[in-house]
Amino acid sequence: MAYRRAVIPALVGSLLVTLLLWWAGESAQALELRGATSVFDARSVSELRLWLAPWSYDPPSALLADGSTDTATGGVAAFGGSSHYAALYTTAMQIRFVAVFAFFLAGALILIRRIPPTQGRTPATVLGLWAWTPMAGMLAVTVSAPWLIASYGHGSFRMLPRLASVIVSSGPVTVLAGLVTALVAVLVARVTAKGDEPSPRQSVPPRAARLAASTGTAVIALSLVVLSYQSVAAWIQTSFDGAGLLSEPGELLRAWLLLGSWTSPASTPVGDWLLYRAADALVLVVVWWALRLLPGLLTRTTAPAMALGGVCATVLALWAGRAVRIAFDSAFVVRAPVSLITQLDAGAPAALAFGIAAGLTALVTLRLAGSRDVGKAPASTADSGEPVADTTRTEE
């Protein structure tokens, strides 16, 4: 799809997700009303506050009075001139909403242009935009984190742990907002795509596609299976040290490196351990399948498209694994609906880092393996008359 056609649904989606998150943040005030606990139980109200707090313009109570407790990042905020810190908080939120608009727009442009909702690609476009929304929210929270931390009056204290706690706090509200945004953006994209020349699906050599998916999945497995093991995660947490503002980087490294967490069967019943490992296996299967289909869905296998596709595949796979874990959980029948999706945004920073690495690894493998297979393709496709796409051709 041409940029002039893709930019309209991308702008609509960016504006919609920004408005939805702003509305969600403003709705946090309703949870303070006396009747809130009659609609939701106390636990659900508490979890909803955590969902909406990252997008609320109202400064926390810690900024409204001197010497208040900093409930968002820990510690005591003993400082004067609270109005100045409240202004810093407002600045952080302004940056956050502008950033979520910009990050979603950038990703949506690539997705809609490279996976236009035509020729059987509509479900892939919806899933891609849906999966990208939490990433845009996480990046927006990350960009605005320095101003938010400074607004509590002690930005130089435990800077990296505080940064890690802010980065992982975008909340599952972005998942819900992303579903609505993806559906609306795709509907608009289908309207703007009318009259455009059809973009046929590429024919990718099967061997090259499978090999590319396998190498990309191996990158995800490095985080999910190797780095997420308890002893390795503990080593990451404690082995790196620093000084000053760069002290205690362990929590930040864990946020960007670990897609999960698991221990040996000795710490849990073997049956439960196997069920949870089955959820991890499902994550890898979903990643492999998505990366296997991705080159054929793209109108052209460019590096940005493959990197973004790798991120979306990782996010969707984590959601699938989370759904299985919830089903295995013995407390499933007594949980409130709000509790069931509280952890859907878990692992977002690592999903971004390793998703990009997986997509680029798959692209390199696809080029290397595809360049060998393309030379043999005419003999196998001569009868069908279907040309094999040159997977080595890119457009940066």
Side-chain angles (χ1 to χ4, degrees):
M1 181 183 291
Y3 275 116
R4 60 185 178 84
R5 295 180 182 271
V7 71
I8 297 176
L11 283 171
V12 170
S14 300
L15 181 61
L16 179 59
V17 73
T18 305
L19 290 176
L20 286 174
L21 292 175
W22 175 83
W23 172 76
E26 290 298 302
S27 299
Q29 298 179 7
L31 297 175
E32 305 297 333
L33 300 178
R34 184 174 301 175
T37 54
S38 63
V39 179
F40 302 100
D41 58 87
R43 180 177 178 178
S44 296
V45 170
S46 177
E47 291 180 345
L48 283 172
R49 287 197 186 102
L50 293 177
W51 284 23
L52 304 180
W55 305 100
S56 175
Y57 254 94
D58 295 328
S61 57
L63 303 182
L64 302 180
D66 296 340
S68 300
T69 300
D70 180 352
T71 58
T73 56
V76 177
F79 48 86
S82 59
S83 61
H84 296 289
Y85 293 102
L88 269 177
Y89 180 87
T90 302
T91 301
M93 297 309 300
Q94 291 171 346
I95 294 172
R96 183 166 297 185
F97 281 101
V98 171
V100 76
F101 179 92
F103 282 121
F104 184 88
L105 177 62
L109 270 175
I110 297 174
L111 287 170
I112 295 174
R113 177 165 165 75
R114 294 304 177 200
I115 312 179
T118 57
Q119 299 290 330
R121 295 186 177 100
T122 301
T125 311
V126 172
L127 291 175
L129 292 173
W130 185 17
W132 175 244
T133 307
M135 295 295 101
M138 184 273 296
L139 288 171
V141 168
T142 302
V143 168
S144 63
W147 286 267
L148 186 69
I149 294 172
S151 69
Y152 287 98
H154 39 57
S156 61
F157 176 69
R158 288 176 54 84
M159 177 65 179
L160 295 184
R162 289 174 181 276
L163 182 61
S165 67
V166 173
I167 288 174
V168 300
S169 67
S170 58
V173 66
T174 55
V175 179
L176 301 179
L179 179 58
V180 177
T181 301
L183 293 173
V184 172
V186 167
L187 287 176
V188 176
R190 289 184 66 88
V191 173
T192 59
K194 290 182 179 180
D196 197 6
E197 294 183 2
S199 302
R201 298 181 62 168
Q202 294 191 80
S203 179
V204 181
R207 175 182 173 276
R210 289 192 296 267
L211 187 58
S214 299
T215 56
T217 304
V219 174
I220 302 301
L222 173 64
S223 173
L224 187 66
V225 178
V226 179
L227 299 182
S228 295
Y229 186 60
Q230 185 181 42
S231 59
V232 179
W235 178 81
I236 294 173
Q237 177 80 34
T238 58
S239 296
F240 298 93
D241 197 4
L245 290 176
L246 300 180
S247 62
E248 303 180 68
E251 293 182 26
L252 186 62
L253 289 173
R254 284 172 62 99
W256 286 97
L257 294 178
L258 305 187
L259 283 170
S261 177
W262 65 286
T263 61
S264 64
S267 59
T268 56
V270 176
D272 293 342
W273 186 86
L274 290 175
L275 290 176
Y276 286 116
R277 298 295 70 75
D280 292 338
L282 178 62
V283 172
L284 298 179
V285 169
V286 173
V287 169
W288 187 92
W289 186 251
L291 292 178
R292 166 68 178 83
L293 298 177
L294 181 61
L297 292 170
L298 295 173
T299 57
R300 185 168 296 176
T301 51
T302 64
M306 287 294 292
L308 191 59
V311 172
C312 295
T314 306
V315 173
L316 293 172
L318 289 178
W319 289 350
R322 176 60 183 166
V324 172
R325 285 176 177 269
I326 290 175
F328 290 161
D329 196 336
S330 59
F332 173 76
V333 293
V334 297
R335 282 189 171 186
V338 174
S339 301
L340 298 179
I341 55 177
T342 295
Q343 296 297 322
L344 281 181
D345 63 325
L352 179 67
F354 281 88
I356 291 175
L360 295 179
T361 300
L363 176 62
V364 172
T365 307
L366 191 65
R367 290 178 178 176
L368 296 176
S371 62
R372 294 193 297 267
D373 286 352
V374 167
K376 304 175 183 178
S380 60
T381 59
D383 295 336
S384 63
E386 182 181 3
V388 177
D390 182 1
T391 56
T392 64
R393 183 182 179 187
T394 60
E395 178 185 351
E396 302 299 338

